[in-house]
Structures are given as C-alpha cells and as structure tokens.
Amino acid sequence: SARPELQLYLENMMLSFVTLGVALSSATTSSSCVFCTENESFDLSGLSMDTFPANDSHSGEPAYFVTSPCGSISTTSCLQDPTSDPAAQGCRGLGTLAVTPSVVPVPGVGLNITLYGGSNNPPCGRGPGGNRTLVYHFLCDPHAPSTNPPEPVMVESPGCTYVVTWKTAAVCSGTPITPGTCTHPGPPAPPPAVCDTCLPMWKPTWDMVRSTVLYTCNDTGMHSVAEAIRYGLVVYDWSNAKDIWANQHPMNDEELLTKQAEMVLAADPGIPGEQPRVWVYRNTIKALNWYSSVREKLDDPAYSGWFVKFKDYKGPSSNGSYHVPACDWYGTSDHPPKCSGFYHDQAQSPNHAGGGSAYKVDGECIEQCDCGPVNPCGEYTFDHRNASFADWFVNEYMISNETLLHKPLQIGLGYLDDSMTLQGMTEGAPYPTWVEDTGSSPQDMTDHVNAYHANIARLQKKLVPMGGFYWQMIHGHGPMVRPTIGHGKRPPHNVTTEQCKSTLRQFCVPEPSAWHVASLYQCYPGDPSSGEQAVAEFLLTRGDFAWLGYGWVGCSSEVRPRPQEWDVDYGGKPDAPCAEIGASSGVFRREYPKATVEWDCNEGRGSVTMK
C-alpha cells in the first residue's frame, strides 16, 4: 500500500498522456512564428504545432509535454493554470510568450530562445517570483524535414530551467532586418489550451465541513463511520478492511468497499446535487483478482485476450522462468498451489506468510489465499489494446452499479491507481522485468501505452457529464505559501517573502486561472500548520472546487487529527477573490460573510478573524 510521493506524482503525470511515442494532436503549423534580434529574424512557422511527450533525462520516465514555442500544448488532462505555455511538466507550464523572451543566435550552431514566466506553483528556482524557465535549443540541421519533432528527452539544467533540443533547417541562417525594426523579439502568446474535463459538473460547496476530505483505509477492519462523516468527502483505498476480505472464500474486496460506502451514505447521504459523498478505489492497469468483477473475467477463457500473458508459459514447469513467480507457493493436498499463464506479480498482493521475498505479504491469508478456483492471487495486467475490453473497462468496470450507477445514491470513483509506461505497469516488479517476462517488443509497448491512455481519455470524457470525477483529475494544490514540516519522504516546505508575494498576486486577481482546475490543499497528520494556517491559505485562495484535508498517508485504525478550524462556519461563499492591501504591501485579504481572512507574506503567516 506504500505510495511514495514521487511515485504518485509520476503516476498522475503519466495519466495526462493520451498517446506516447506519437503526437497528441493533428499536424499543424503556425501561421506566424517569427523571432528577431537587432539584426536578423528567424521564421519558425514551419515547426510542427503537435504536442509531443518527452522523457525526463534523469529518470527516463515520461514527464513533459512540448510543442513549438508559438504553440499551446494540448492534452486530455487539464493544466494547472490552464496555460498557453508551449511546454509543461505534468500540469505545470514552463515558460510563456506572455513575458518578453530572450533570442540569442549561436553562429554555426543554431538559435537559443528562452521563455520566462513559467509556473511558480510551487515556487521553483532562485528568481524573485519562483517561476520556471524554458529554453529552446534549436540546432541547425539543413536536412531535417519541416515536420521534424523535438528530441524526446528534456533536460532540467540548472534546476527549474528546462531545455528542449530541436533540430531544424529554419535556424541555419537568419533573414537580415533593418536595425530598430525588431520592437518585440517574439510573437504574442497563443490562446490557452481548452480543457473540458478540468472541473466537476456538480454544484460546488462553500461549507467548510463539506469542503474537507479524507483519503483513508483501515486495513484491520471497516473504517469508523463516525470519523468518515466528519468530512465532506471520504475516499477509500483498496486496502480498507484487508484483514477481513483477504481471508474470505473467495476474496471480496470490491463488495466490502461498496458496503463501507453504503454505511457512510446511510449515516450522511450528503447534499443533493453536490459531490458524491464517498469515492472508492479502482486500478486502471492492474487486474486485481480480489475484485470479483475482475476475477470473473480473468477465470473465464472467453476473456483471455483481456489480460497480458507470460512469454512462452508452459504450465507449472514455467515457475521460476520469470522474474516473478507464476505459481502460488502455499497449498494443501486438497487445494494445491495454483499457477497462471497470465502475467502477475506479488508486489502488493495478499499472501500466506512464509513464502520468502518472492511472495511479499500485503494482507495475510491465514489459510490458502483464495482469489477463485482458477488463478492464484496476484496483480495481473489489463490489455487495453483489446477493443471489447476497452468497452467493459469504461462501461462496466469503472462506471458500474458499484460506483456512478449505484442506487439510490451515487458512489464516486476515487483513486484510479497506477498506469502503463514503456517499461511496463507501475508499482509492480522492478523495471524492465515486465517487458522481459511478457516478451513485449518496443512496438508492443508503444501500443500498450497508446491504448491505455486512449481508454483513460475515453473514461474521463464519459464520467464527468455523469457527475463523476476522480482523484487524479484534481490537478491544483493551492498556492503552497504555507510553511509545512516534512512528512515521510516529503521534505519541509518554505517559500521566501518575494515568492509568497509573486504567487499570491496570481491568485488574488478577479478571475484566477488556478480556479479553472479542481484543487486539493493537502495536510499531513502531526503538522501544526494544519489548523488556522491551512484554513487561512485555503479560504484566501480557493475557488468553487477545492478541498482541504488528507491525501494518501497510509492505512490506520486510529482517527486522524482534525483541527477545530475545519469545523467553523465562515458564512459560505465570499463576494470576491482575495486582493492585496495597498501597493506592494505583501498583505492579502479576502472577506467572508462571517470572517476576514489575511495572509502576510512579510511574516509568512495567515490569520482568520471572525466578525
């Protein structure tokens, strides 16, 4: 169940891609993309305006989107700001033509174009505003076709400066111009990309209690309903009640998640027309056969094409032929160990203790683990390339009578975990063993990833009009000006006075772009700033769709601390966004019907004063 924050960040980021290895939009070029210096101009209008994925140079993982410097990246997942930036790291724009660019010819090499004013949410780098910077390193290549894409790897060097390398004939020589005629070195910024799945369609709430969230699980039993109804939204992980369902015959995790949700809904059904009161976990790539709906298909030979297989599986004799076991280790004379030709690993799987390092115990089965009569328990892999699977995945597995079609009250989809990458499925066996154990070619992997992201896009398009939304679609996280302590692998967080001012000046405007996405203002147990300071930051900057509370911090049977400020009535929706008090004061204020909220960047603190 452990999900390090970097892993979560990468998973959420990878869910933003529709395709990988091919462009994300139809091929177009800019009608006018001319950059100039004092003496010459460079016409880059012939560059592709497609949005291309790029990997991080350090991790090798998908991490960026990039298009022509005159373009606006286009993805199915909305951007944090939404932005007209031509490159992004996940949901963060990296630089914009809305700020004057730097244009520097490099004789005999090419042209460097630097775009400033990228996202500073959170602040990054040493600049006063903490904004990210984007550098296009165009290399002269007289033989490069006009459709030549950028290099598929982006380099962050130095920190918070992102370098795109692009070979093109367009920079081999400039066009001489009359000195003084280059009044602006670059064209205007394009319109922002359009996102139609950035916000839920339900009625927003400004009630403080209803605006709090708890993502949780009690792995020893059912979660406390009394705790759940203290939050406006509760999201349940697959590990909830694990000690119970891991010892059922067969396992019934899916049914117990539904039961837990129904228990909460019976105690507090929520407000009609607002957010679904309870959300539940599903996995988008791992076929977990402790879910009965998955087990039914996995055990039926008619659906064998829906799951990825081991390479050259020959039955029990193949156990030991792969990086992961193909068979159970534990059994009895009446119920011997089971084997499967479908790829599966044991990275986060219930097991009978004693099997050694190959059989990690993530939920202990007292007897033989029972995930049905055919296949051993494990993390199998959905094959998104299969057309009939794709229809079931969206319309029966994700959107079902256990979730958005549940009666009489809807149960929302919650954490839609994991993803498919070119190295295999995430949070499973170590890279690149999945590719080797399945015998997948580079083209197979490209097809896997493309099909996976196409199905995710299809799911998002369908569920939002139905009143759905899920955790990975929450792309905003507030201004993050509040100092916080470290938690687990997460280091302490602080911002400078100038970074605080610059950030809040983006939020304290008539129509903050951050309100174009749903936002989670995350707190951590034991952080003393989770009370008044967190509430001040939240109330000062939140839009219609925002939550304050706990994301994934592991399973616990203990009640999470709940600051008293989370339960105060601040009077509902304010009349306007926040505003800076006086010119360059660094003090920002927002008036609520029953409270005045302020943040003083000079002191690095917020306050909530009841009227």
Side-chain angles (χ1 to χ4, degrees):
S1 299
R3 295 188 184 86
E5 292 191 5
L6 176 60
Q7 179 67 39
L8 294 183
Y9 177 69
L10 289 171
E11 287 174 16
N12 293 348
M13 194 175 297
M14 288 184 281
L15 283 170
S16 300
F17 290 97
V18 185
T19 59
L20 197 64
V22 298
L24 301 185
S25 58
S26 58
T28 56
T29 57
S30 172
S31 59
S32 178
C33 185
V34 179
F35 292 83
C36 61
T37 66
E38 180 68 16
N39 300 307
E40 58 186 338
S41 66
F42 296 86
D43 189 348
L44 304 183
S45 304
L47 292 178
S48 174
M49 298 283 281
D50 289 343
T51 295
F52 298 94
N55 292 346
D56 179 78
S57 62
H58 301 293
S59 69
E61 289 291 335
Y64 303 98
F65 304 108
V66 62
T67 186
S68 159
C70 297
S72 178
I73 58 173
S74 175
T75 77
T76 57
S77 180
C78 48
L79 299 173
Q80 178 177 289
D81 287 328
T83 180
S84 60
D85 293 19
Q89 180 190 42
C91 295
R92 299 186 182 98
L94 300 181
T96 175
L97 284 172
V99 178
T100 301
S102 167
V103 181
V104 180
V106 183
V109 178
L111 180 71
N112 287 341
I113 297 175
T114 303
L115 304 186
Y116 305 97
S119 172
N120 67 348
N121 194 354
C124 185
R126 298 181 179 179
N131 297 91
R132 290 159 176 78
T133 299
L134 175 65
V135 178
Y136 280 89
H137 183 43
F138 288 107
L139 297 178
C140 168
D141 184 348
H143 305 294
S146 60
T147 57
N148 196 49
E151 296 298 303
V153 174
M154 189 177 290
V155 178
E156 182 182 359
S157 179
C160 305
T161 296
Y162 303 84
V163 182
V164 178
T165 300
W166 202 323
K167 296 179 180 179
T168 175
V171 298
C172 292
S173 61
T175 301
I177 61 174
T178 302
T181 58
C182 181
T183 58
H184 194 278
V194 175
C195 172
D196 55 5
T197 57
C198 290
L199 293 172
M201 290 189 176
W202 59 68
K203 178 183 176 182
T205 181
W206 285 80
D207 179 277
M208 187 65 224
V209 174
R210 295 286 175 187
S211 299
T212 57
V213 60
L214 173 66
Y215 178 21
T216 193
C217 58
N218 173 15
D219 52 3
T220 63
M222 302 300 279
H223 176 243
S224 166
V225 173
E227 181 183 25
I229 62 175
R230 296 190 67 187
Y231 293 82
L233 169 62
V234 61
V235 184
Y236 285 109
D237 190 69
W238 69 276
S239 292
N240 195 60
K242 188 187 297 177
D243 285 358
I244 298 175
W245 58 256
N247 287 287
Q248 299 302 301
H249 297 283
M251 294 187 190
N252 60 344
D253 186 10
E254 192 170 19
E255 288 79 6
L256 285 191
L257 280 175
T258 301
K259 179 180 178 181
Q260 178 75 73
E262 290 173 342
M263 290 165 60
V264 176
L265 290 172
D268 179 3
I271 306 298
E274 293 185 3
Q275 63 196 10
R277 182 70 182 75
V278 189
W279 299 2
V280 293
Y281 177 102
R282 293 292 185 269
N283 202 294
T284 61
I285 190 63
K286 292 180 180 178
L288 308 177
N289 61 341
W290 41 91
Y291 276 49
S292 58
S293 61
V294 174
R295 179 170 61 243
E296 175 188 353
K297 302 302 182 185
L298 183 69
D299 289 357
D300 188 338
Y303 299 97
S304 63
W306 289 14
F307 306 92
V308 180
K309 299 175 179 64
F310 280 121
K311 178 184 179 182
D312 300 329
Y313 176 77
K314 297 180 175 62
S317 63
S318 291
N319 196 31
S321 301
Y322 311 106
H323 294 88
V324 293
C327 303
D328 272 342
W329 79 271
Y330 179 78
T332 65
S333 57
D334 293 332
H335 300 284
K338 295 186 282 289
C339 302
S340 179
F342 296 112
Y343 177 90
H344 58 284
D345 65 45
Q346 307 290 326
Q348 295 183 57
S349 176
N351 266 303
H352 186 90
S357 60
Y359 297 91
K360 298 178 181 178
V361 178
D362 197 340
E364 183 177 354
C365 306
I366 304 304
E367 300 173 334
Q368 184 185 36
C369 292
D370 185 357
C371 289
V374 180
N375 292 288
C377 294
E379 299 180 311
Y380 295 79
T381 306
F382 290 132
D383 193 335
H384 282 263
R385 300 172 299 177
N386 187 295
S388 60
F389 164 80
D391 184 71
W392 174 84
F393 173 79
V394 173
N395 297 309
E396 296 184 50
Y397 174 56
M398 290 293 178
I399 300 174
S400 73
N401 291 332
E402 307 291 316
T403 58
L404 299 180
L405 303 179
H406 182 269
K407 303 297 182 185
L409 295 172
Q410 194 176 61
I411 298 173
L413 287 168
Y415 200 95
L416 268 55
D417 207 358
D418 296 308
S419 65
M420 177 60 87
T421 75
L422 293 176
Q423 291 79 34
M425 66 179 186
T426 59
E427 283 197 277
Y431 297 144
T433 59
W434 190 96
V435 177
E436 296 171 4
D437 287 348
T438 60
S440 298
S441 68
Q443 185 60 54
D444 289 333
M445 295 312 303
T446 296
D447 292 344
H448 274 300
V449 174
N450 288 349
Y452 169 80
H453 290 293
N455 284 343
I456 293 298
R458 181 182 174 193
L459 172 64
Q460 290 185 358
K461 295 281 188 181
K462 180 160 185 178
L463 68 86
V464 172
M466 297 178 65
F469 214 67
Y470 60 85
W471 196 265
Q472 281 79 0
M473 297 175 76
I474 304 172
H475 290 292
H477 41 64
M480 297 182 70
V481 296
R482 169 174 57 99
T484 58
I485 64 173
H487 181 83
K489 294 184 178 181
R490 176 184 176 275
H493 172 73
N494 288 283
V495 298
T496 66
T497 297
E498 291 305 314
Q499 288 172 338
C500 175
K501 291 178 182 179
S502 176
T503 300
L504 289 183
R505 283 168 187 156
Q506 296 182 42
F507 279 80
C508 297
V509 294
E511 183 60 33
S513 59
W515 291 2
H516 297 175
V517 297
S519 296
L520 170 66
Y521 292 62
Q522 185 156 339
C523 297
Y524 295 90
D527 189 336
S529 74
S530 295
E532 182 183 28
Q533 298 305 296
V535 170
E537 181 184 47
F538 179 69
L539 294 178
L540 185 79
T541 59
R542 66 158 295 182
D544 278 343
F545 298 99
W547 296 271
L548 173 69
Y550 297 119
W552 174 254
V553 289
C555 289
S556 176
S557 59
E558 308 211 346
V559 174
R560 308 283 187 205
R562 185 178 172 90
Q564 61 183 5
E565 292 88 349
W566 294 11
D567 294 319
V568 175
D569 177 11
Y570 299 105
K573 187 172 183 177
D575 292 332
C578 53
E580 190 168 8
I581 303 171
S584 303
S585 69
V587 179
F588 300 82
R589 178 182 296 167
R590 192 178 193 184
E591 296 289 348
Y592 277 73
K594 295 184 180 180
T596 297
V597 182
E598 286 190 358
W599 195 276
D600 187 340
C601 289
N602 308 294
E603 299 293 331
R605 291 186 58 80
S607 63
V608 180
T609 304
M610 301 304 294
K611 295 179 177 178

